[in-house]
Amino acid sequence: MNKKKPKYTPEFKKEVCEFALFDNITNSAKFHKVDRDTVGRWVKNYKLYGENSFTYRKKRNVTQKTKLDENTLLKIKAIKENNPKLSLQKIKDKLNLNCDISLISRKLSKLKIKSTYQKVINSLNIFINVLSQNIKHGEIYSLYQINVTDNNSKNHFIGFSSFKNNTNLCIFMDYILSNIQGLEQFKKIKKIKTNIGYLDQLGNKIIFNRFIKDKYNIDMEYTSDIKLPQNLKLDYVKSTGIEDLFHDTYKKLITDKSIKDLENDILIPPIFIDDFIQDTNKIISFNNYWNVLSLPDKQRNILANVIEEIEKLGDTAKINFNFDNALELYNKIYLTTLNCNNVDEVKANSLIKQADIYYHLDNFDLSKKLFSDTLKLSSELDKHEISAKCYYYLGMISFSLFRNKEADQYYEKALKEYRKDNTNSFDYYKTKVRKHTNLGEYKKALRSVNSYIKTANDNNDNSSLANGYGLKGNIHYWKKDYLNAEKMYLKHKYI
C-alpha cells in the first residue's frame, strides 16, 4: 500500500520558504526533511503570491487562445526574418498575442525562415555627422560623431571630435584597428571605404598612408554608394556637455545589445579624439600605443560610472527576484570589459555576482565554475577579499552537496585570505560562523555571530545588523533551539 503524502500546514511552508530565501533551497530542504523540488516550487510561488500561495491554487486561464491564425503566423515570420535576433517574448508583446511562447516556437519551427547568412567582413566604412552646433562670439562651434562600421553594419564604433579634419579621423581609425587586429573576423580587412569627399584629396591620402596603410596594409576607397544606417545616427542635440553625451552613448551601446550580440560583436569604448591630438606622432610611430595607454581620467571616470549604473540596475533586479534580468546585466558588464585594459577587478566582481545568483538557484556546477574562474583573476590582481569571497561560496556549495570536509577546507582558505586584508570584518565573521556550524561547534558560532552583531552596532549599519540576527537565528535553528531562533528572526525582520 502506498504511503500517503504528508500534508504540510501553511505556517510550515512559510517557515521553509523564509529559511530558503535567507540561506538557500537545498539547505532548507535538507534541514526540514522535505524534497528539494517541492521546496523550490513553494519558494517560486511564495515569491509570486506571498502567503496566499499556500492556501489558494492558481486557476488555469481557460480563455487562453490555443491557435494562431495564418495571418498572425505570416506576421511572426516577417518579423523574425527582418529581426532574426528578436526574442519570441518580444514578438509576442509586439503583436499583443494571448498564447504561450512554446506555441509560437512550435508553429515557427514549421515555417521556412530565410537564412540570415552574414558575408565575410572584408572592409570597414567610416562616416561623420554633425551632432551639435553653437555660436559663441560670432564663431560656430561644432561637435561631430565619427562612426566606423563593418561591411555588414554589425559592429559599430563611435568617437567624438570638435574638429572635422583628416588627422582626427585617422587617429580614430587607428584606435579601432589597434583593438580589432588579430581577431579572426577582421583578418580579411583590406580596405576602408568612405563617402567623406575631402579624404580623397592627395594631401589627405598622404596622411592616411602614414597613419593606416603603412602600419596595417589597408587601403582607402572613396565611394558615394555607402551611407551610415539611420538607426546608428545619434540624435542632433542643440547643446550638451561632451561628458553627458559620452556617458549616454556608452550606456546605450551596452544596454541596447543583447548578450548574443556582446558575445559575437566587439564593443570598444568611445573616445573624445581631441584629447589625443598632441600624441599624433606617437600614434603614428608606435604600433602598441593604444594597448599600453590608459584613457584620460575624465573618460575613464565616465566609463566607470556607466558600469556602476548598470551594476546597480542588476542589484535592484536581484533584490526583486528578477534573476534573469540581473544575470543579463552582470554578464553584459563582464562582456563589455573583455576588450578594456585595467578592469580585471570589474570583471571579477561581475563574475562573483553571477555566481552568487546561480548558487541561490541551486545551479552549483555553474556557480562553482564561475567562482573558480574568478579565483584565477583574483590571484593575478592580488585581491585577498575577492579570493576570500570565492572560497567562502565554494565552501557553501560543498556543504550543500554534503561534502563537509571539503567545505571546511574552503572556509579555512577564506579565513586565511580575510586575515591578509582585514577590511571586511562582516564577511570574516560570517565565514567563521559557517565553519563552526559545519563542524557542529555552535558555541563558537554564536561567539562569532555576536562579534558580527557588535561590529554592525558600532558602525550603525542596520542592514548588516539585520543580517547578523538572521544568521544568529539560523544557528539556534540548527541547534533545534526554536524559541531563540524565532526571537532572532523577528529581530531580523523588524530592524
Side-chain angles (χ1 to χ4, degrees), residues 4-130:
K4 190 176 180 181
K5 289 185 178 179
K7 187 174 181 180
Y8 301 108
T9 64
E11 292 77 18
F12 176 77
K13 291 180 180 179
K14 181 183 176 183
E15 180 182 302
V16 173
C17 289
E18 291 287 353
F19 192 100
L21 290 172
F22 185 80
D23 199 323
N24 68 37
I25 290 171
T26 297
N27 287 347
S28 184
K30 180 178 171 183
F31 183 82
H32 292 94
K33 296 180 173 57
V34 179
D35 180 70
R36 197 196 70 82
D37 291 339
T38 301
V39 176
R41 186 173 65 253
W42 290 353
V43 169
K44 181 179 179 181
N45 290 331
Y46 186 52
K47 290 175 186 174
L48 292 172
Y49 309 110
E51 294 181 35
N52 289 336
S53 64
F54 305 137
T55 53
Y56 300 104
R57 290 184 179 271
K58 192 171 68 169
K59 292 183 180 179
R60 187 181 173 206
N61 184 2
V62 294
T63 62
Q64 180 176 341
K65 291 182 181 180
T66 56
K67 293 183 179 180
L68 292 170
D69 59 54
E70 188 176 348
N71 287 336
T72 303
L73 287 172
L74 290 174
K75 287 180 184 178
I76 294 172
K77 180 184 177 185
I79 292 172
K80 197 64 179 171
E81 286 178 343
N82 291 327
N83 302 278
K85 294 180 181 178
L86 197 65
S87 68
L88 295 183
Q89 180 62 54
K90 288 185 178 178
I91 293 176
K92 177 185 171 183
D93 295 341
K94 186 181 180 75
L95 297 177
N96 196 25
L97 300 176
N98 183 23
C99 66
D100 196 77
I101 290 177
S102 61
L103 176 62
I104 301 174
S105 179
R106 288 198 305 274
K107 295 291 185 182
L108 202 59
S109 66
K110 297 177 183 178
L111 300 175
K112 291 185 178 180
I113 306 294
K114 291 180 183 178
S115 172
T116 56
Y117 169 75
Q118 294 285 337
K119 296 181 293 182
V120 173
I121 297 174
N122 52 33
S123 67
L124 295 177
N125 306 320
I126 185 163
F127 309 92
I128 188 168
N129 59 287
V130 65

Side-chain angles (χ1 to χ4, degrees), residues 270-285:
I271 58 170
F272 187 52
I273 300 162
D274 301 13
D275 287 343
F276 303 95
I277 294 174
Q278 72 274 12
D279 281 354
T280 296
N281 289 331
K282 291 181 182 177
I283 295 171
I284 293 172
S285 304

